Amino acid sequence: MAKDEKMDKGITVKKGDDLSEWYTQVVQKAELADYGPVQGTIAYRPTAYAIWEHIQEIFNGMMRSTGHRNVYFPMFIPENLLTKEKEHIEGFAPEVFWVTHSGDNKLAERLAVRPTSETIIYTFYSKWVRSWRDLPLLLNQWCNIARAEIKSTKPFIRGSEFLWQEGHTVHATKEEADEEVMRMLNFYKELVEEYLAIPVIMGKKSEREKFAGALYSATFEPMMPDGKALQGGTSHNLGQNFSKPFDIKFLDKDNTSKYAWTTSWGISTRLIGATIMVHGDDKGLVLPPKIAPVQVVIVPIFKTGEDAAVLKKADEIRKALASHGILVLLDASEGKTPGWKFSEHEMKGVPVRIEIGPKDIASKSVVAVRRDTGEKKGIPEREVGASVMALLAAIQSNLLAKARDALQKQITETDDYAKLKSTIETKGGFVVSSWCGADACELRVKEETGATIRAIPFEEPKKLGNCLICGKRAKHKAYFARAY
Amino acid sequence: MAKDEKMDKGITVKKGDDLSEWYTQVVQKAELADYGPVQGTIAYRPTAYAIWEHIQEIFNGMMRSTGHRNVYFPMFIPENLLTKEKEHIEGFAPEVFWVTHSGDNKLAERLAVRPTSETIIYTFYSKWVRSWRDLPLLLNQWCNIARAEIKSTKPFIRGSEFLWQEGHTVHATKEEADEEVMRMLNFYKELVEEYLAIPVIMGKKSEREKFAGALYSATFEPMMPDGKALQGGTSHNLGQNFSKPFDIKFLDKDNTSKYAWTTSWGISTRLIGATIMVHGDDKGLVLPPKIAPVQVVIVPIFKTGEDAAVLKKADEIRKALASHGILVLLDASEGKTPGWKFSEHEMKGVPVRIEIGPKDIASKSVVAVRRDTGEKKGIPEREVGASVMALLAAIQSNLLAKARDALQKQITETDDYAKLKSTIETKGGFVVSSWCGADACELRVKEETGATIRAIPFEEPKKLGNCLICGKRAKHKAYFARAY
């Protein structure tokens, strides 16, 4: 393993210099994804997919606690269903992949490969919902989604096929649907902040930015290091906009037939992309311990003649850590120097590295190295389980604290349009400004700066100035930013 | 809840009289699936999907123990890739759904919605496999599959879209690939027999019946109550048939470049269909406890004035059972008689029902009813956890024993073609016959009886007669049957 080869494997740009190129390299060199033959498609490799499985497990637990159940609906949506809700199809039409043939036969009707599943799911719900006793109906599916992407694609962030969950619920009243929208958004916030260590801004979308067909959309938006926001996931109150064309009615307790209220909400493998961007550094990926497929890697340091003793000790340490429920890998692979292994596991973002050599055996201790700070410290062998648990907890908190700090620095408050413009142009980030609520003002900002309203916070602002564009009395504080 | 309404909800045919109609009714009335708007597509409802999640969990555990990792590959396969292996595309061509447009744009090349993923996965493997150090490569994905079905479709059993796992592995030698094929087939057998309580016949497929493009295919085949076999899952040694067109080569230890050996293996949501058919009875679904989403349902028997005490006790019992890790549901829903609830949970196949009324409280006991046998017995309250655990284990064993017994009765051994014909025509089941190995003889049986060779057992038969068709010296004992 010559030094040159090691360099080849490393990232050749600094994260701060060129986030985009850095990201592309990390995704490939940490073996998270590889590009498919169709534009915008990728293979999710084991590390990335394991993170997704972790996210599934966590969110499934949250959903179970509130009575949501998992299901699976068909992927093919006949054209006449997809087009039933007018705004919906207008929003999705340009991105739909159409199946026109099976074998050599032309189909009588084109089938959309689901770009989202409201229309196919509601076709079933109109049969399943009959009475108030059937409500609320709380179902969720984990599946793949296809949207032909014309904008530049980026693994995990924007692609023509991705994985997500989509919850679809039916309620008797608007109030219950409102509660559901917030319940799920709060679950998302907890998932993303507590596990992925990424702080978020939450709020409503503007009319312009809401989901095609929704009454309103709520969102959570993390901020990326290059000053662009990323829509992390959304939760929509669809009102009766779908229950009417799809005829989802129930007989209420008062014996009258009413249209139901529906919601949908989703997060996707985009969250993997956010995790890479927010925490990674010039050495590669940095994974929060709570979602790392490997939390600790043990690298034995061999010296001639002492390999067996070192390996035996390394395996003892592995077992001690595993007995604490820690996900631990002993990298005993041959033909690689310890230095090579250090770089490889740093690239892959493993939170803690443990080194064990003859000297450590003599002193009955091991060396632990933090991926986030690079800090090294000796740990007495008999405390290794508890110490590493504490270390993993410390890394998790530190990553969140650092990300919170970064987010704070990326928020600029101003009602001065010139300052918004210059901020968006230079450092980016969120610019929080007073806004009258008019689409024309929002559109002007978008056209002149590329920034859109990412979120309108749920809390009433303490003081409201005048609209940054028209100068009229503002209705909201809005978070403006450029976005992925 | 009039008695009439209850009857409406029940199954109107006996399983023994018309398995097909019985199956259709169970699938709908036990709320396992519902039909989608596209021929052959279904919604997997919560009970069915929960069984699938159970299967995933069990099989993931098996795969983890042997170092297999989960991944996800793109669903869209460009036409030029799908057609690279000649036999493969010939086998799948009639079933492929083709995407031709995205939005209003005609695509430059048609995209297949994966009917299986060898060709897309090998496109990646040719990049990832370089050296013997990269082998074995052991990856698996859980995903949806689309195959336009022209034959009559049946929920879970045959559809235009279904869920499965497909493992795809790369090895340095044929022997290692052979071992992998058997390793995974044995996992399947363990899963299906130990958890789904369905006994299977295992063996190789004939050349005629093997997977399109395989060197050879291995299979496990459960027998359905109507005497038709069901291919439960398959495990293929693909030889170098794919590694050559897809250029999957590695530099071996001897420093020469060699084509790799690959395998693929899969099980699908078809196993849900097998479980329904094998164990169900005239009252509906019967679920093996090890994969039942609800293992025990508690039905409180209310008498005027004692509801609160009954409900309190029922909840204590629920907690006692849950503390043993039992999946328990307390059905305290109002407006339904106990009898109604009994029928409903019998229909849904819940393995054990517990009834608690004022009398039981007085005697400090509960009544437990087995779904499989209908047997009722009193259980002292303080023993409820241990007793129900024992009951669940007894039900699991009983279902497997009954199914083994049924399978034995469905196996006929004969080398007399006339007897094979009459057996296939009347009772069905497996007919085990000596066969010379010639395709012409196999084809004649197929054309004249509709029976195909389902499996050729791995073990050498103790005595071999002459081929049931040509009378020449036989090479194999083969399991013939009609099949789904």
Side-chain angles (χ1 to χ4, degrees):
Chain A
M1 293 311 125
K3 207 177 171 188
D4 292 345
E5 196 177 340
K6 200 160 127 190
M7 297 299 287
D8 270 0
K9 287 252 181 182
I11 314 240
T12 58
V13 292
K14 290 195 183 305
K15 186 184 178 191
D17 290 346
D18 184 347
L19 185 72
S20 180
E21 171 62 20
W22 172 90
Y23 182 83
T24 301
Q25 290 195 19
V26 172
V27 164
Q28 294 251 44
K29 294 185 178 181
E31 298 183 352
L32 294 163
D34 198 0
Y35 297 99
V38 175
Q39 158 82 0
T41 65
I42 57 169
Y44 295 72
R45 303 186 71 176
T47 300
Y49 198 79
I51 293 171
W52 186 237
E53 286 180 313
H54 249 105
I55 289 173
Q56 291 184 308
E57 196 184 326
I58 298 159
F59 193 63
N60 275 334
M62 292 174 172
M63 284 193 294
R64 255 195 304 277
S65 74
T66 45
H68 295 77
R69 290 176 302 170
N70 285 334
V71 290
Y72 183 78
F73 289 96
M75 153 176 66
F76 292 132
I77 310 177
E79 185 162 15
N80 80 81
L81 289 181
L82 193 68
T83 53
K84 259 193 179 177
E85 209 287 331
K86 198 173 152 288
E87 281 185 25
H88 187 69
I89 183 61
E90 278 172 11
F92 283 102
E95 297 177 357
V96 174
F97 284 104
W98 291 106
V99 173
T100 57
H101 290 73
S102 74
D104 289 332
N105 307 313
K106 185 161 198 265
L107 300 174
E109 181 179 14
R110 297 200 299 176
L111 305 177
V113 183
R114 64 181 159 222
T116 181
S117 299
E118 279 76 8
T119 58
I120 183 81
I121 290 181
Y122 290 166
T123 306
F124 289 95
Y125 283 5
S126 71
K127 295 190 276 177
W128 299 347
V129 172
R130 287 275 168 265
S131 139
W132 62 270
R133 288 174 199 277
D134 300 322
L135 302 180
L137 180 60
L138 308 172
L139 302 181
N140 174 71
Q141 75 176 357
W142 297 93
C143 65
N144 56 344
I145 286 291
R147 295 180 185 172
E149 282 297 343
I150 36 182
K151 289 194 230 176
S152 67
T153 59
K154 198 184 263 302
F156 306 117
I157 298 294
R158 184 178 292 280
S160 294
E161 184 193 3
F162 56 88
L163 304 179
W164 80 354
Q165 65 63 223
E166 49 180 328
H168 293 273
T169 69
V170 187
H171 305 268
T173 64
K174 175 174 185 299
E175 291 64 37
E176 284 176 36
D178 285 339
E179 279 168 29
E180 176 76 2
V181 165
M182 285 308 296
R183 183 180 301 118
M184 303 325 286
L185 193 68
N186 283 317
F187 277 167
Y188 289 155
K189 179 186 164 75
E190 185 185 339
L191 167 73
V192 173
E193 294 193 342
E194 295 305 308
Y195 293 86
L196 306 183
I198 302 175
V200 300
I201 297 297
M202 297 208 300
K204 272 195 189 179
K205 286 285 182 191
S206 65
E207 283 297 301
R208 164 170 295 278
E209 297 291 330
K210 75 178 183 186
F211 178 74
L215 186 62
Y216 66 83
S217 293
T219 184
F220 69 93
E221 309 257 335
M223 177 51 64
M224 298 300 106
D226 58 353
K228 284 164 78 178
L230 183 79
Q231 183 173 293
T234 47
S235 185
H236 315 290
N237 188 331
L238 304 177
Q240 297 174 318
N241 295 351
F242 286 85
S243 63
K244 286 177 179 170
F246 286 90
D247 201 34
I248 305 176
K249 277 191 288 204
F250 66 101
L251 196 67
D252 206 352
K253 288 181 184 174
D254 63 8
N255 232 17
T256 62
S257 178
K258 294 175 184 168
Y259 284 109
W261 296 76
T262 68
T263 84
S264 68
W265 26 271
I267 49 172
S268 75
T269 38
R270 192 167 236 219
L271 292 179
I272 301 171
T275 305
I276 299 167
M277 277 204 208
V278 168
H279 301 302
D281 65 17
D282 293 340
K283 290 179 177 173
L285 193 60
V286 177
L287 287 177
K290 283 190 184 179
I291 51 113
V294 175
Q295 294 172 312
V296 177
V297 61
I298 301 173
V299 178
I301 316 285
F302 295 135
K303 304 274 178 188
T304 322
E306 291 172 86
D307 295 10
V310 169
L311 206 55
K312 181 163 168 284
K313 181 58 70 183
D315 199 53
E316 280 173 33
I317 300 290
R318 184 189 63 75
K319 284 182 191 147
L321 294 176
S323 76
H324 280 74
I326 295 169
L327 302 169
V328 56
L329 172 77
L330 167 54
D331 184 353
S333 56
E334 288 168 39
K336 293 176 182 173
T337 63
W340 175 274
K341 292 180 186 176
F342 295 173
S343 300
E344 189 173 347
H345 297 292
E346 278 172 354
M347 173 70 79
K348 291 191 171 178
V350 179
V352 171
R353 175 175 80 235
I354 288 190
E355 307 168 5
I356 304 175
K359 265 195 258 176
D360 306 300
I361 296 182
S363 66
K364 290 187 189 302
S365 68
V366 301
V367 173
V369 186
R370 287 174 66 151
R371 176 65 182 89
D372 60 336
T373 59
E375 194 190 332
K376 265 193 180 195
K377 69 171 182 176
I379 295 178
E381 224 185 277
R382 63 192 152 66
E383 293 169 15
V384 71
S387 290
V388 170
M389 290 289 277
L391 207 51
L392 291 169
I395 295 171
Q396 184 78 31
S397 319
N398 177 51
L399 290 178
L400 180 59
K402 271 171 63 179
R404 278 199 198 287
D405 192 47
L407 174 61
Q408 280 317 310
K409 290 183 183 144
Q410 285 171 311
I411 297 175
T412 306
E413 235 180 308
T414 182
D415 287 348
D416 174 359
Y417 184 44
K419 181 155 183 214
L420 178 141
K421 267 180 154 169
S422 66
T423 306
I424 293 294
E425 207 51 58
T426 52
K427 65 180 274 208
F430 289 116
V431 178
V432 188
S433 301
S434 300
W435 170 55
C436 65
D439 183 59
C441 295
E442 181 183 1
L443 184 60
R444 184 171 158 205
V445 176
K446 184 177 178 181
E447 287 178 347
E448 293 181 354
T449 70
T452 52
I453 293 180
R454 307 309 308 161
I456 303 161
F458 299 112
E459 317 79 53
E460 285 293 310
K462 282 175 202 131
K463 59 182 177 83
L464 262 174
N466 295 323
C467 176
L468 82 165
I469 298 294
C470 67
K472 288 189 191 146
R473 197 194 162 82
K475 282 195 186 145
H476 309 284
K477 284 276 184 189
Y479 279 72
F480 289 86
R482 288 183 184 161
Y484 275 94
Chain B
M1 292 311 125
K3 207 178 170 189
D4 292 346
E5 197 177 338
K6 202 160 125 190
M7 297 296 289
D8 271 1
K9 286 252 182 179
I11 312 234
T12 59
V13 292
K14 290 198 183 303
K15 186 184 178 191
D17 291 346
D18 184 347
L19 184 74
S20 180
E21 172 61 20
W22 172 90
Y23 182 83
T24 302
Q25 290 195 21
V26 172
V27 164
Q28 293 251 47
K29 294 185 179 182
E31 298 184 349
L32 293 164
D34 199 358
Y35 297 99
V38 176
Q39 158 81 2
T41 65
I42 57 170
Y44 295 74
R45 301 186 72 175
T47 300
Y49 197 79
I51 294 172
W52 185 238
E53 287 180 313
H54 250 104
I55 289 173
Q56 292 184 309
E57 196 184 325
I58 297 159
F59 192 63
N60 275 334
M62 290 175 174
M63 283 192 296
R64 254 196 304 277
S65 75
T66 43
H68 295 77
R69 291 176 302 171
N70 284 333
V71 291
Y72 184 78
F73 289 96
M75 155 175 64
F76 294 132
I77 309 178
E79 187 163 12
N80 80 80
L81 289 182
L82 193 67
T83 52
K84 259 195 183 178
E85 206 289 330
K86 197 173 154 289
E87 282 185 25
H88 187 69
I89 182 63
E90 277 173 11
F92 283 102
E95 300 178 353
V96 173
F97 284 104
W98 291 106
V99 173
T100 56
H101 290 75
S102 76
D104 291 331
N105 307 314
K106 185 158 197 270
L107 300 175
E109 181 179 14
R110 298 200 299 177
L111 305 177
V113 183
R114 63 181 158 222
T116 182
S117 299
E118 279 76 7
T119 57
I120 183 81
I121 290 180
Y122 291 166
T123 307
F124 289 96
Y125 283 6
S126 72
K127 293 191 275 177
W128 298 347
V129 172
R130 288 275 169 263
S131 136
W132 62 272
R133 288 173 200 276
D134 299 323
L135 302 181
L137 182 60
L138 308 172
L139 302 181
N140 174 72
Q141 74 175 358
W142 298 92
C143 65
N144 57 344
I145 286 291
R147 295 179 186 173
E149 281 298 341
I150 38 180
K151 289 194 229 177
S152 66
T153 59
K154 197 184 266 301
F156 304 119
I157 299 293
R158 184 179 293 280
S160 295
E161 184 193 3
F162 56 88
L163 305 178
W164 80 354
Q165 66 61 220
E166 50 181 325
H168 293 272
T169 67
V170 188
H171 306 268
T173 65
K174 174 173 185 302
E175 291 63 37
E176 283 176 35
D178 286 339
E179 279 168 29
E180 175 76 2
V181 165
M182 284 309 296
R183 183 180 300 118
M184 304 323 286
L185 192 69
N186 283 317
F187 277 167
Y188 289 156
K189 179 185 165 76
E190 183 185 342
L191 167 74
V192 173
E193 295 194 341
E194 296 304 310
Y195 294 87
L196 306 183
I198 301 176
V200 301
I201 297 295
M202 298 206 301
K204 272 194 188 180
K205 287 286 185 191
S206 65
E207 282 297 302
R208 166 170 294 276
E209 297 291 330
K210 75 179 186 187
F211 178 75
L215 186 61
Y216 67 83
S217 291
T219 183
F220 68 93
E221 308 257 334
M223 176 51 63
M224 298 299 106
D226 58 353
K228 284 163 77 179
L230 184 80
Q231 182 174 295
T234 45
S235 185
H236 314 291
N237 187 330
L238 303 177
Q240 296 175 319
N241 295 351
F242 286 84
S243 63
K244 285 178 180 172
F246 285 91
D247 201 34
I248 305 176
K249 277 190 289 202
F250 67 100
L251 196 67
D252 205 351
K253 287 181 185 174
D254 64 9
N255 232 16
T256 62
S257 177
K258 296 176 184 168
Y259 283 110
W261 296 76
T262 68
T263 84
S264 68
W265 26 271
I267 49 172
S268 75
T269 38
R270 190 167 237 216
L271 292 178
I272 300 171
T275 305
I276 299 168
M277 279 207 205
V278 168
H279 300 302
D281 64 18
D282 292 341
K283 292 179 177 174
L285 192 61
V286 177
L287 287 178
K290 283 192 183 176
I291 51 111
V294 175
Q295 296 173 311
V296 177
V297 62
I298 300 172
V299 178
I301 317 287
F302 296 134
K303 305 275 179 188
T304 323
E306 293 174 82
D307 295 9
V310 169
L311 206 55
K312 181 164 169 281
K313 180 58 70 182
D315 200 52
E316 280 172 33
I317 300 290
R318 184 190 63 75
K319 282 182 193 147
L321 293 177
S323 77
H324 280 73
I326 294 169
L327 302 169
V328 56
L329 172 76
L330 168 53
D331 184 354
S333 56
E334 287 169 38
K336 292 178 182 172
T337 63
W340 175 275
K341 291 181 186 176
F342 295 172
S343 300
E344 190 174 346
H345 296 292
E346 279 171 353
M347 174 70 79
K348 292 192 172 177
V350 180
V352 172
R353 173 174 84 236
I354 287 188
E355 306 169 5
I356 303 175
K359 265 194 263 177
D360 306 300
I361 296 181
S363 67
K364 291 189 189 301
S365 68
V366 300
V367 173
V369 185
R370 284 174 68 150
R371 175 66 183 88
D372 59 338
T373 60
E375 192 190 334
K376 265 193 179 194
K377 69 172 184 177
I379 294 177
E381 223 186 279
R382 62 190 154 68
E383 294 169 13
V384 71
S387 289
V388 170
M389 290 288 277
L391 208 51
L392 291 170
I395 295 170
Q396 184 78 32
S397 318
N398 177 50
L399 290 177
L400 180 59
K402 272 170 64 180
R404 279 198 199 284
D405 193 45
L407 175 60
Q408 280 316 310
K409 289 181 184 144
Q410 284 171 312
I411 297 177
T412 305
E413 233 180 308
T414 183
D415 288 348
D416 173 359
Y417 184 44
K419 186 162 179 206
L420 178 143
K421 266 178 155 169
S422 65
T423 306
I424 293 294
E425 206 53 56
T426 53
K427 64 180 276 205
F430 289 116
V431 178
V432 188
S433 302
S434 299
W435 170 54
C436 66
D439 183 58
C441 295
E442 181 184 1
L443 184 60
R444 185 169 156 206
V445 177
K446 185 177 178 180
E447 286 178 347
E448 293 180 355
T449 70
T452 51
I453 293 179
R454 306 311 306 162
I456 303 162
F458 298 113
E459 317 79 53
E460 284 295 310
K462 282 178 205 130
K463 60 182 176 86
L464 261 173
N466 295 323
C467 177
L468 82 165
I469 299 295
C470 66
K472 288 187 192 149
R473 197 197 163 82
K475 282 197 187 143
H476 310 284
K477 283 278 184 187
Y479 278 72
F480 289 87
R482 286 183 185 159
Y484 276 92

